[in-house]
Amino acid sequence: MSLSDQYPSNTDVQAEPIQLSRRRLLLGSAGAMASVSLLGFSPLTRAEEPKTLPDYVKWKNANEVIVHSANTIETERGAIGSGVVTPSDKLYVRNNLPAPNEQIVADRDAWKVSIKGVNNPKTLTIADLKDMGIETVTTVLQCSGNGRAFFEHGPGGTQWGTGAAGCIVWTGVRLRDVVEKLGGVKAGMNYITSTGGESLPAGLDPKTIQVERSVPTRALDQALLAWEMNDDPMPLAHGGPLRMVMPGYYGVNNVKYVEQVAFTEDQSEAKIQTSGYRIRPIGDKGAPGQPSMWEMPVKSWVTAPLSNTNKGRNMIHGVAFGGINAVAKVDVSIDGGKTWKQARFLGPDMGRYAWRPFVLATDLSPGEYRIVSRATDSEGNTQPPNRTENERGYGNASWKDHGVSVTVG
């Protein structure tokens, strides 16, 4: 495999080879047409589609995911179910670079991470971290491009529907606890900058391809250095042996294979930070002054029914989360948003950063319905009807886009 195959070049340093306009999405190949059901149109039978999982994720449930590429695998919209936690074998995969060799998880406790920008900088092993404390937090993990398939201008990148998201239980040590044991953060530091440990090809400027993300130091209170996911050792595909977890922040900030955490005065100079993952007008290039994909907003979507159902009593299921805040309520409409009824949450509340499955029981007569959901967070922010148009198709929380068209017979 050539370097260009392994490390495709584009303006956002993203290994996202699928670039489809809305028309191509609807009329193109079988793989593209499979995404049509995610848009609320007539679905195809996914059993007819060949599915080949890359070796590093052979343990995934092939019947519950959509394989876009070796580095981009989406959870089927109907695979979420009504539980809070997304099973690891159904969780989406989004890698900016190919996953490292499995040798890095052979001796997990020996993995090293350097902590810089503190008064007593030090390199620590996972074994050291385990002696500093332990915490478990449940969070929504969501790719910045989740919902990209709904944008009309056909932004480049993987055409995610709703399946580049999941709700995960992480276990590790709070970054704040580590920092306190190292004498605290140095004065004047404004960002937490995490660096991934993927192997980089020779001959390229590391800053053009390295996964290194900076977030404001306000994230310190919730940040976690995690070595377990859903009560198992962190899988290689999801950042094992050690991953930075930034609850309430988009997935790209949850850096995998983290080998350095630095408190810095300025944001990283890596391309993935300076021009990648920026909200910018259609046609514009990425630049440091544009909004970065940091905190997530409130969002929800329906997970069942998705295309057809029987007349009479129906249970409309979905998931809702508040992003950086807790989700407070979710309303459901069966007429495209003309009228609303409040749904009820299912299962336990697993914290501010977790999603809440919801259900609305309703009677449906034969006919066509447009089912949508609209969530509100604890601060009163309500999911918007429309998306924010932008070049890369980031941050789509539109309740209109995430609706489904259902035929009742």
Side-chain angles (χ1 to χ4, degrees):
M1 180 179 292
S2 68
L3 285 180
S4 61
D5 291 330
Q6 283 187 293
Y7 304 92
S9 175
N10 63 46
T11 58
D12 280 347
V13 201
Q14 297 175 342
E16 296 186 313
I18 299 176
Q19 297 188 4
L20 302 174
S21 67
R22 174 62 62 89
R23 179 172 175 80
R24 288 178 63 198
L25 179 65
L26 298 180
L27 302 179
S29 67
M33 291 178 69
S35 296
V36 173
S37 65
L38 298 175
L39 302 177
F41 297 94
S42 299
L44 296 180
T45 303
R46 292 201 184 278
E48 298 174 357
E49 299 173 28
K51 289 191 176 182
T52 302
L53 289 168
D55 287 342
Y56 75 107
V57 286
K58 282 292 186 183
W59 52 274
K60 294 282 184 179
N61 186 336
N63 294 322
E64 304 282 12
V65 298
I66 306 162
V67 180
H68 292 288
S69 75
N71 291 336
T72 52
I73 299 169
E74 180 171 358
T75 306
E76 290 269 13
R77 184 166 186 160
I80 293 298
S82 56
V84 178
V85 178
T86 305
S88 299
D89 65 350
K90 298 181 183 181
L91 181 64
Y92 82 100
V93 174
R94 169 68 178 99
N95 286 337
N96 279 279
L97 294 172
N101 189 285
E102 289 188 5
Q103 291 179 348
I104 72 169
V105 293
D107 184 359
R108 293 171 176 272
D109 281 356
W111 179 264
K112 295 178 180 179
V113 57
S114 297
I115 312 297
K116 299 182 177 181
V118 292
N119 289 307
N120 298 303
K122 192 173 184 179
T123 296
L124 304 166
T125 64
I126 291 180
D128 294 329
L129 295 176
K130 288 180 177 179
D131 287 335
M132 291 184 168
I134 190 166
E135 186 62 79
T136 295
V137 63
T138 304
T139 77
V140 171
L141 182 70
Q142 179 183 216
C143 179
S144 303
N146 199 33
R148 177 182 286 135
F150 307 125
F151 282 79
E152 296 289 348
H153 72 283
T158 300
Q159 298 301 298
W160 304 111
T162 64
C167 191
I168 307 301
V169 179
W170 311 98
T171 298
V173 61
R174 295 194 311 166
L175 182 58
R176 178 171 289 282
D177 290 345
V178 175
V179 167
E180 287 177 353
K181 287 179 171 59
L182 298 181
V185 178
K186 283 186 175 181
M189 301 303 171
N190 302 311
Y191 298 95
I192 305 169
T193 299
S194 304
T195 307
E198 294 96 338
S199 298
L200 304 180
L204 293 179
D205 179 356
K207 293 298 183 184
T208 66
I209 196 167
Q210 188 173 44
V211 178
E212 185 174 82
R213 288 286 296 177
S214 300
V215 302
T217 52
R218 60 177 177 263
L220 179 59
D221 285 340
Q222 66 257 37
L224 193 77
L225 286 168
W227 52 77
E228 286 187 6
M229 186 182 92
N230 289 348
D231 296 329
D232 289 320
M234 186 76 68
L236 179 70
H238 294 291
L242 189 68
R243 180 171 190 167
M244 173 62 74
V245 173
M246 292 286 182
Y249 283 66
Y250 280 104
V252 67
N253 305 292
N254 295 248
V255 173
K256 299 177 180 179
Y257 324 109
V258 63
E259 64 176 8
Q260 178 177 287
V261 179
F263 292 87
T264 57
E265 184 177 355
D266 300 313
Q267 295 181 36
S268 169
E269 294 181 355
K271 190 174 182 181
I272 197 172
Q273 181 77 30
T274 58
S275 60
Y277 292 89
R278 298 282 177 171
I279 294 288
R280 59 188 192 263
I282 296 172
D284 284 8
K285 293 184 178 181
Q290 299 158 345
S292 190
M293 296 305 294
W294 285 336
E295 292 102 335
M296 295 187 294
V298 62
K299 187 173 180 179
S300 71
W301 60 85
V302 170
T303 58
L306 295 178
S307 56
N308 299 283
T309 189
N310 296 322
K311 66 179 181 180
R313 197 68 164 172
N314 273 266
M315 299 293 176
I316 298 173
H317 288 269
V319 292
F321 57 96
I324 197 67
N325 300 311
V327 64
K329 70 169 186 172
V330 61
D331 298 309
V332 172
S333 173
I334 62 174
D335 55 14
K338 295 178 182 177
T339 60
W340 299 89
K341 291 184 179 180
Q342 187 170 338
R344 67 179 180 88
F345 291 129
L346 293 173
D349 181 349
M350 296 186 70
R352 169 181 173 181
Y353 305 108
W355 70 25
R356 301 295 306 275
F358 65 82
V359 65
L360 176 72
T362 188
D363 292 316
L364 298 176
S365 302
E368 302 292 326
Y369 295 83
R370 184 66 178 173
I371 303 178
V372 294
S373 62
R374 182 185 66 188
T376 301
D377 72 15
S378 58
E379 299 299 311
N381 301 301
T382 298
Q383 187 177 353
N386 302 310
R387 61 184 173 267
T388 298
E389 299 293 346
N390 66 93
E391 170 65 23
R392 292 293 297 167
Y394 288 143
N396 190 356
S398 161
W399 60 254
K400 286 184 178 179
D401 280 352
H402 288 78
V404 292
S405 294
V406 175
T407 299
V408 178

